[in-house]
Amino acid sequence: MKTTVNGQIINYEQLGQGDDLIILHGWGYDISLLMPFARILADSYRVTLADMPGHGGSPEPEKSITVYDYANLVSGLMDNLKIESAYILGHSFGCRLAIILAAKEPEKVKRLVLCGAAGIRDRRGTKYYIRVYSYKCAKFFVKNFAPKKYDSWRKNRGSEDYRKLSDVMKATFSNVVNEDLTPLLSKIKAPVFLIWGENDTATPLYMADIMEKEIPDCAKVVYKNRTHYGFLEETPRTAAIVKTFFKEQK
């Protein structure tokens, strides 16, 4: 199904009946990854999944947007679908949107489950800064002393996934990953449950520790020997936790 929010076409799906539960996907994925999980939860909730712009069936934005723009689209989608308040489950990038929504519009969020949540600025050591500095130096020299080679040089920088992005999505991705949401954590009024994989390298476990400390009402579980996708690697366990945690408010 399609709807338009703030001029942006959003592809979404709804399944099940009951209290509203919104599931927000990670960066680079879409609702198809989470649909099998959503079907399990649909026996207890009306589940809404949406492709964020530039993912799945939702077209890219015309110009680069911020993580706050994405969160506003989630809020607008709720308005369009007449969802006054909902339980929210997010994964990675999707957790960024959930954090912003819970901090800025608390009346719309009942409870949150955040899985491998992004939003904490990375601990960037010396090697990181050396790599960035070297990149900037190389960029300066190539751009100024070998301008004909600059475009091909630039296209070969970064990860394969990053190079596949359009210029608009590259700028959007940069906006998203460089936004530190730590100051918002203490403003979250809704109860929060963190689900983390012990071997998560995308959002390391120390980020869960920071969130647990900063969010006023927060609990955490760590899945042993699991990754950034631990919540799916342990689907039955995660579904049981989600249902129990959300049921406590009913």
Side-chain angles (χ1 to χ4, degrees), residues 144-157:
N144 287 279
F145 297 103
K148 292 182 180 180
K149 297 182 178 180
Y150 178 70
D151 285 341
S152 62
W153 177 86
R154 181 175 63 87
K155 289 178 182 178
N156 289 320
R157 302 300 105 181

Side-chain angles (χ1 to χ4, degrees), residues 36 43 166 204 207:
D43 64 359
S166 68
M207 295 183 179

Side-chain angles (χ1 to χ4, degrees), residues 154-221:
R154 181 175 63 87
K155 289 178 182 178
N156 289 320
R157 302 300 105 181
S159 69
E160 182 179 355
D161 288 342
Y162 181 77
R163 292 198 299 271
K164 289 178 180 178
L165 296 177
S166 68
D167 288 342
V168 166
M169 291 307 291
K170 283 179 181 177
T172 297
F173 179 73
S174 181
N175 291 340
V176 168
V177 299
N178 287 310
E179 191 71 55
D180 184 11
L181 302 182
T182 305
L184 295 184
L185 299 178
S186 62
K187 299 179 182 179
I188 297 176
K189 297 179 180 179
V192 176
F193 199 96
L194 306 175
I195 297 177
W196 233 270
E198 180 185 36
N199 299 330
D200 189 332
T201 57
T203 53
L205 194 53
Y206 75 83
M207 295 183 179
D209 296 336
I210 292 173
M211 289 191 178
E212 185 179 25
K213 179 180 177 181
E214 294 293 327
I215 297 172
D217 186 354
C218 187
K220 177 183 69 180
V221 65

Side-chain angles (χ1 to χ4, degrees), residues 36-105:
F37 184 62
R39 291 194 180 101
I40 295 174
L41 297 174
D43 64 359
S44 302
Y45 304 94
R46 181 173 72 162
V47 181
T48 301
L49 307 96
D51 289 330
M52 291 296 101
H55 298 78
S58 296
E60 295 182 2
E62 294 183 359
K63 60 181 181 180
S64 64
I65 61 177
T66 70
V67 68
Y68 287 91
D69 294 325
Y70 274 115
N72 286 338
L73 289 171
V74 175
S75 178
L77 177 65
M78 292 178 69
D79 293 339
N80 281 15
L81 301 179
K82 302 188 185 308
I83 300 174
E84 295 183 1
S85 183
Y87 299 108
I88 297 181
L89 184 149
H91 173 235
S92 196
F93 157 72
C95 297
R96 291 180 183 268
L97 316 187
I99 288 168
I100 293 172
L101 190 64
K104 299 292 186 180
E105 299 185 72

Side-chain angles (χ1 to χ4, degrees), residues 8-20:
Q8 176 71 48
I9 297 173
I10 299 294
N11 178 60
Y12 73 97
E13 295 289 343
Q14 283 189 319
L15 56 158
Q17 294 182 340
D19 291 341
D20 282 295

